[in-house]
Amino acid sequence: MQHGIKREWREFWTLPVAAAIGYSTAVLHTYGLGPFIEPLEAEFGWGRSAISAAIAIAGFIGALFSIPLGMAVDRVGPRRVALTGVVLMTGAFAMLGVVGSEIWQWYAVWCLVGFGNLFLQATVWTSAIASRFEASRGLAIAVTLSGGAITATVLPIIATSLIESHGWRASFAAIGAMWAAVVFPVLYFLFHGEHEAPKPGEAEVIELENAPRGLRDALLMPAFYRLLLASAFFTLTGIGMIVHFVPILVDLGANPLGAASVASLIGVTSVIGRLSTGLLLDRFPPGLVGALVFLMPLAGSLLLLFAGSE
């Protein structure tokens, strides 16, 4: 077992690192919206609920097209999908800076954000990881998903600093350009799954013989619906807190940059939590690990609730 773990990391360590950098792009809209809420409120008079409703639009698009996206990954490989997603997502995020005073324009651009984000869903990255890692798959996936924590750590501070110095419109464009310039070359040179170029006819054989049966079997498993329900509840509550964390702290008296610095701690602790969870998944029953991990944010929610009531 240990020999297999060492061999996988020795041969393929660049893959989860590149995937982590790529996955950092997938959560730009989640961790990047918070610092922009106050400026948007001030300029357009939109309410926070109206502004943050855009997150739900992106999420709905992801849920609606996640199965076709998975089929595309099986057909053309995760690398091509990921490279396309980086271009679409960073471009759409940059376009948020050109919206006018009509709220429908905000929502229209967020439809583009949701479409771009579709190509960067976790399945894109984990499919490549699963093709290279077996003995240490849990840790490799944890390293990959820690890319979201990278964004959570640095983006609130970057966004707030840019907004204060250049305004919110230029900040959207700068963040999009920054992520594209860093992430695209890394993925182009380092992100390669085991089967990136199927032989002619191979993809069709996989789809016709295996994919429908696999999908049918999954839809009949009670575990599938338990995971779906747990993920839905966690996303509904967790994303809502993350998006509004900076405005909440500002309302409690913090200055914007100080609030962003506190919000960045979410990313730091997320790295620790995800790596620890990955190690635990390689050693203990996944159901037990998942239940404990999903319960932990309750403590943070209670602390925020009681702190806000004083």
Side-chain angles (χ1 to χ4, degrees), residues 20-21 23-25 27-28 30-36 93 146-163 171 174-175 178-179 182-183 242 246 256-271:
I21 294 172
Y23 185 66
S24 72
T25 314
V27 293
L28 280 179
T30 303
Y31 294 106
L33 179 58
F36 289 92
F93 192 84
S146 293
I150 296 173
T151 301
T153 302
V154 302
L155 185 53
I157 297 175
I158 291 174
T160 302
S161 299
L162 287 172
I163 291 169
S171 298
I175 291 170
M178 189 185 309
W179 248 260
V182 173
V183 175
I242 289 169
V246 171
L257 190 57
S261 299
V262 174
S264 69
L265 294 176
I266 296 175
V268 176
T269 54
S270 293
V271 172

Side-chain angles (χ1 to χ4, degrees), residues 99-117:
V99 298
S101 59
E102 298 293 334
I103 192 68
W104 67 263
Q105 298 177 18
W106 174 251
Y107 294 148
V109 179
W110 271 89
C111 288
L112 299 179
V113 172
F115 181 73
N117 186 251

Side-chain angles (χ1 to χ4, degrees), residues 32-259:
L33 179 58
F36 289 92
I37 289 179
E38 292 282 344
L40 288 168
E41 279 186 303
E43 178 151 346
F44 297 131
W46 300 339
R48 291 183 184 178
S49 59
I51 296 171
S52 59
I55 290 282
I57 294 174
F60 178 76
I61 292 174
L64 190 63
F65 295 103
S66 59
I67 291 178
L69 185 279
M71 296 174 65
V73 172
D74 289 336
R75 180 178 292 274
V76 304
R79 181 172 179 271
R80 295 178 183 177
V81 174
L83 289 172
T84 302
V86 169
V87 174
L88 294 177
M89 180 62 178
T90 56
F93 192 84
M95 287 181 62
L96 290 170
V98 303
V99 298
S101 59
E102 298 293 334
I103 192 68
W104 67 263
Q105 298 177 18
W106 174 251
Y107 294 148
V109 179
W110 271 89
C111 288
L112 299 179
V113 172
F115 181 73
N117 186 251
L118 178 67
F119 291 78
L120 300 172
Q121 291 190 9
T123 50
V124 175
W125 315 103
T126 57
S127 62
I129 295 297
S131 72
R132 298 292 196 183
F133 287 83
E134 183 175 356
S136 187
R137 185 173 295 169
L139 179 58
I141 291 176
V143 171
T144 297
L145 298 182
S146 293
I150 296 173
T151 301
T153 302
V154 302
L155 185 53
I157 297 175
I158 291 174
T160 302
S161 299
L162 287 172
I163 291 169
E164 290 184 349
S165 58
H166 300 288
W168 66 270
R169 292 188 182 275
S171 298
F172 274 124
I175 291 170
M178 189 185 309
W179 248 260
V182 173
V183 175
F184 190 89
V186 171
L187 295 184
Y188 186 84
F189 290 108
L190 298 178
F191 186 65
H192 299 275
E194 184 177 10
H195 304 292
E196 289 297 338
K199 297 177 181 179
E202 183 178 352
E204 288 78 3
V205 172
I206 292 174
E207 180 183 349
L208 293 175
E209 294 184 0
N210 296 329
R213 183 178 60 187
L215 177 60
R216 183 171 60 251
D217 292 344
L219 291 175
L220 293 175
M221 294 174 60
F224 173 82
Y225 294 98
R226 290 198 296 268
L227 287 171
L228 180 64
L229 186 62
S231 298
F233 279 122
F234 185 81
T235 301
L236 179 66
T237 55
I239 298 300
M241 288 180 57
I242 289 169
V243 169
H244 292 281
F245 196 73
V246 171
I248 288 172
L249 294 180
V250 171
D251 286 346
L252 293 175
N255 63 67
L257 190 57

